[in-house]
Amino acid sequence: MSGTDKLTNKIEEMSGKGKQAVGDATDDRDLQAEGKKEESKSNLKQGVENVKDAFKS
């Protein structure tokens, strides 16, 4: 996984966590769901990249 991909995924993960926190604070279920979706998507991308890296080694 390139450094750029790692950084992009981490930013997306943090954005998702932030949206979840704001959604929790404002009781906005849509924002909470959107944040969870972004975080899950980022985690999935990281997992796929880790598998690719494992096969390259």
Side-chain angles (χ1 to χ4, degrees):
M1 176 186 267
S2 75
T4 304
D5 290 339
K6 286 182 182 180
L7 181 60
T8 302
N9 288 337
K10 195 57 151 174
I11 290 170
E12 189 173 325
E13 178 184 351
M14 297 307 292
S15 172
K17 286 183 180 185
K19 285 182 181 181
Q20 285 182 56
V22 171
D24 288 340
T26 60
D27 202 28
D28 183 342
R29 292 181 187 256
D30 290 335
L31 193 55
Q32 289 171 334
E34 185 178 336
K36 286 181 182 180
K37 179 181 169 186
E38 278 186 23
E39 186 178 359
S40 296
K41 181 179 169 185
S42 173
N43 289 336
L44 179 63
K45 286 181 188 178
Q46 288 176 20
V48 169
E49 290 299 325
N50 288 339
V51 168
K52 286 181 184 177
D53 287 346
F55 280 105
K56 289 180 183 177
S57 300

